[in-house]
Structures are given as structure tokens and as C-alpha cells.
Amino acid sequence: MQDQEKLLTFSMTKLSDTLILPCGAILKNRIAKSAMSECMGTKDYKANNELNTLYSRWAQGGTGLLITGNIMVDRMFLGEPGNVVFHEGRDYSDLKAWAEAGKINGTQIWTQINHPGKQSPKFLSPEPVSPSSIALKPPLNKMFNRPRALTESEIFSITEKFAHAAKISKETGFTGAQIHGAHGYLVSQFLSPLHNQRTDQWGGSLENRMRFVVSIYKRMREEVGPSFPLSIKLNSADFQKGGFSKEESMIVVETLSKLGLDLIEISGGTYEAPEMTGVHQKESTKKREAYFLEYCEEVRQRVKTPLMLTGGFRSAEGMDAALNSGACDVIGLARSLAINPDFSKEILSGKEVQSEVKPLSTGVRSLDKLFPLEVTWYTHQLHRMGSGKKPDPGMSSASSILKTILSLGLQNLKRVRY
């Protein structure tokens, strides 16, 4: 009887429903824009009018929660050109304007706070850092230098930088903050036994490997207080032999849930195994749309913290099914909103609409392997919206490659973030 009542409650959940987070903050609906790196920051690592225009456009499009592209905590370690950075001592009026632009129409806008670790391209970081001095596997080792292992004092310093970023997020008017703990960046590197082979209190057992993210969360919470939403984007797994596993991920989720996180976004994969782009989908996954739905269904039995599921959603039917199953509480969208900023509004209105996201190819296999089309093509769509133009779903893949080469230079064209 209890299970039937639980199922009935979930079956009543709609995309248009509000969601009250544990901290008391309210999301106006169940659709969120997951982070996409905009690469629009100024040369001095600040936000600008293009970002304001882009986020204002998304806010007008009906999405309940907007999560920014990753904002770095250290200007010496960038994920890609055009990162905004929370470096201390600078004026933050640009962030205030960005937050205001994203809050129109009753929208929540959260910062995504990140450190790339070893995933900082050679032309940006001659000597990147990581838990251990372990290079990325070929061919990525040609794009990213072997990292230097962090000292313990540096680990404490980075923890404080995350705390400072959360404090500034609140002070400048953002309505929440998210730790980027997925996709192979520094937090993810600490969690992975492949990339973290330290023998001190920061490595070895899972308890030690998760000490970094637990310390970051606790310090962030101390800075922002109990009523400011804090979230994490976490891998369901790294999808690499000997890497961060599904079982370990669930233990981390349970730990952070008990500590008081307000929303946990589930994704998966790294640069070395990019499952977040939809590669290697099983037929059953294609039918259910969401890439990591099975994981969410399982972890939902272990935590009460609201879960946000990102990756693969293309239709209202797929989103409703995920919500109604009780597996997740928020639907995360990214590429669909990069080519149709009104996608959320259209779905919420009951309009029959299907995402225009489709596989990208130049028609030349060698070019497709060389250039990260799933990133560069969509980044150009964001830039179009930032300049006040409409997205161009018909843009050719070859055209996006040419635009990227012209903007970065062929030698500086590197794989950028997911």
C-alpha cells in the first residue's frame, strides 16, 4: 500500500511543478539548464554584456534554473580560453550584472565553480596540477601536459578558493552555487583511483579520496549559510576500468546528502571516456532518452536529496517519464537549449515539440575525430545568442570548425570542456 501511495505521488509530478529545496529555496519548475562552457569571458577573466544577453534570453525562455558555464577559482589554471574567474582582489560588478540578467522572469541562476586540474590545455597551463603526477592517456597527452602533484598546502588553498567563490556568488546576487565534481576535472580527479594515487590523507581509500570534495562543501556552507542553495555535479561513474565506480559514486552521494547538499546533478564520463555526449548508448537507453536514468533509479532508494538528471532528454514524454518514475526531481537540459532557448517554454505550454539535437559530422571521419564538434558547434550557437542573434541549427559542422580555427588559431585548438 505504501509503495502504491509513493507511486501515485510521483505520478502527479509535472514539469511545471515548483520544487522546494532542503534550504527552502524554490525552483519555479522542474527544468534546469545544465552548465555549458560559454568561452565568452574578457581577457581579464570577467563576465560581459554577451553573457548577460545570453542568460537573459534563457531566462525569458521559461527554464526554472540556469547553471552557468564553469567559473574557475584560479586564473593560473583555466579549462579553456574565455573562462570567467573568481580571483580575489578584483571588482565584481560584472558578476552582479550577470546575476541580474539571469534572474528575470523568476528564474534561479547558480554559478558553477570549478578547477580543471590536469584538464587545462598546454597553451593555457604549461604545468597543470592534479592529485598525482599522472598524465592523461593518448591522444589527450598531446593536448594536456603531465600534471604536477599538488602539495597539501595547495590543496587547502584550493579549498579556500572554492569557499571564496561561493561567498562571492551570494554577495553578487546569484541565487545558488554548484561544485563541478564531474567530467574529469579536479574534484573528479581526487575521487578517481586512477588519477589519485596519493598515499596521504587525500588518497587511497574512498573516504580519503572524497575528503577534498567534503572539505570544499563544508567550507562553502560555512561561507554562505544554511539558506543558500549548494549543489554538486557528480559522475555516476567514470566509465574507465579501475576508475571511479558506480558503487563509489553512490557512497559519495549518500555522504554529501547527509551533510546537507540541496541538489545533486547526475552525469557521467570524462574526456577519456565521454559518456556525457551519448556515445555507446544501449537501445534501452535510447528509448528512455536519459543516459544515466538507471543510476538515478538506484541512488534514489538511498537518498532524499533532490536529484537532477542531465543527458539525453529530447521530448516532454521522456522528461515526464523520468519524473513520474520518481528517479529524479529536476530535468537537466543543455544542447537543446543551445539551439532553441524557448524549448522549456514550448514544452511547458503543452506544445508538441522535439529537440533538434542530432549527431554532428563533417562527412570526413578523420576531421570528426580531430575536432570536438559536440563542443565547438554548440559553443558557436551560444556566441550567436550572446551577440543578439538567433541560434542557427542549420550551421554546418565544417563551418563551426573554420570559425574555431579563426578564433583560436590552429595551434591553440584544443579539446574543451563538456
Side-chain angles (χ1 to χ4, degrees):
M1 182 65 178
Q2 189 175 7
D3 290 340
Q4 290 178 341
E5 290 177 354
K6 184 178 180 181
L7 181 61
L8 179 61
T9 300
F10 285 137
S11 69
M12 295 170 61
T13 303
K14 301 186 294 294
L15 286 166
S16 59
D17 286 349
T18 59
L19 176 64
I20 303 176
L21 299 175
C23 65
I26 301 175
L27 304 185
K28 69 176 185 178
N29 59 49
R30 301 303 181 97
I31 305 178
K33 182 202 80 69
S34 186
M36 291 178 281
S37 194
E38 310 91 357
C39 300
M40 290 183 185
T42 65
K43 291 182 179 180
D44 54 351
Y45 318 112
K46 293 184 178 182
N48 52 26
N49 287 332
E50 284 74 19
L51 280 167
N52 300 344
T53 299
L54 173 63
Y55 278 78
S56 173
R57 183 67 189 85
W58 271 325
Q60 293 168 4
T63 304
L65 168 63
L66 305 177
I67 302 175
T68 71
N70 56 341
I71 306 178
M72 295 298 173
V73 299
D74 191 328
R75 59 185 169 181
M76 299 302 295
F77 301 102
L78 305 180
E80 58 276 324
N83 280 153
V84 176
V85 182
F86 279 113
H87 64 85
E88 296 189 38
R90 78 171 180 84
D91 173 62
Y92 286 111
S93 58
D94 59 307
L95 294 184
K96 292 180 180 179
W98 189 3
E100 285 303 310
K103 286 191 292 189
I104 63 173
N105 198 26
T107 309
Q108 291 248 1
I109 178 170
W110 298 359
T111 55
Q112 187 188 68
I113 304 172
N114 194 12
H115 188 300
K118 71 177 75 178
Q119 287 184 173
S120 184
K122 286 183 176 181
F123 71 99
L124 290 176
S125 294
E127 187 181 56
V129 293
S130 189
S132 303
S133 182
I134 299 172
L136 290 167
K137 67 182 183 181
L140 294 177
N141 62 339
K142 296 180 180 179
M143 307 172 189
F144 303 92
N145 283 327
R146 176 183 290 274
R148 171 179 61 79
L150 287 161
T151 65
E152 187 165 52
S153 64
E154 287 175 320
I155 293 172
F156 286 121
S157 176
I158 293 172
T159 299
E160 290 304 308
K161 290 178 187 295
F162 272 86
H164 171 76
K167 177 175 179 285
I168 296 301
S169 296
K170 182 178 180 180
E171 290 179 351
T172 53
F174 287 91
T175 59
Q178 182 185 74
I179 302 165
H180 197 338
H183 300 174
Y185 292 102
L186 186 61
V187 171
S188 179
Q189 289 162 31
F190 266 92
L191 290 170
S192 169
L194 279 180
H195 297 286
N196 180 358
Q197 297 182 12
R198 301 178 70 95
T199 56
D200 59 8
Q201 66 170 332
W202 306 97
S205 67
L206 178 59
E207 180 182 3
N208 283 354
R209 283 183 278 121
M210 75 167 107
R211 192 183 306 277
F212 183 57
V213 69
V214 167
S215 299
I216 286 173
Y217 169 71
K218 287 181 176 179
R219 282 293 296 119
M220 289 172 67
R221 182 59 79 190
E222 288 173 359
E223 291 293 338
V224 301
S227 60
F228 188 76
L230 290 180
S231 170
I232 189 170
K233 186 170 190 173
L234 188 70
N235 275 358
S236 58
D238 288 350
F239 298 95
Q240 293 177 276
K241 185 177 180 180
F244 185 56
S245 68
K246 181 183 78 170
E247 292 72 22
E248 289 184 328
S249 175
M250 290 189 180
I251 293 172
V252 175
V253 168
E254 284 187 284
T255 300
L256 294 173
S257 175
K258 291 175 182 177
L259 288 172
L261 266 179
D262 295 293
L263 183 68
I264 299 173
E265 180 182 1
I266 301 301
S267 187
T270 66
Y271 279 14
E272 294 174 310
E275 300 292 322
M276 58 285 200
T277 64
V279 298
H280 309 134
Q281 290 183 54
K282 296 184 295 185
E283 194 60 37
S284 59
T285 300
K286 292 179 181 179
K287 291 179 180 178
R288 302 177 78 187
E289 295 190 4
Y291 301 154
F292 311 109
L293 184 56
E294 291 181 4
Y295 172 93
C296 268
E297 289 172 335
E298 189 171 342
V299 81
R300 165 52 75 218
Q301 306 304 314
R302 302 168 71 158
V303 300
K304 294 182 179 179
T305 301
L307 300 176
M308 173 178 163
L309 178 55
T310 299
F313 288 110
R314 300 290 179 261
S315 68
E317 291 77 15
M319 298 176 205
D320 283 332
L323 287 177
N324 293 338
S325 73
C328 65
D329 306 278
V330 179
I331 301 297
L333 302 177
R335 289 177 289 180
S336 295
L337 293 174
I339 52 181
N340 181 3
D342 292 319
F343 189 57
S344 298
K345 184 189 298 183
E346 292 173 358
I347 285 178
L348 291 167
S349 72
K351 180 179 178 181
E352 290 189 14
V353 59
Q354 191 80 16
S355 171
E356 296 183 66
V357 173
K358 57 186 178 182
L360 297 171
S361 174
T362 61
V364 180
R365 184 174 298 180
S366 58
L367 279 179
D368 290 350
K369 289 184 177 180
L370 179 63
F371 294 93
L373 287 175
E374 289 292 340
V375 177
T376 58
W377 189 91
Y378 286 98
T379 299
H380 289 303
Q381 304 300 333
L382 304 190
H383 286 197
R384 286 183 62 86
M385 286 192 281
S387 64
K389 300 176 182 178
K390 293 181 179 179
D392 180 12
M395 176 187 290
S396 72
S397 297
S399 174
S400 75
I401 290 175
L402 179 60
K403 290 175 184 291
T404 302
I405 291 174
L406 292 175
S407 63
L408 290 181
L410 184 58
Q411 295 303 314
N412 285 344
L413 182 62
K414 306 293 178 182
R415 181 178 292 245
V416 292
R417 82 176 288 277
Y418 293 98

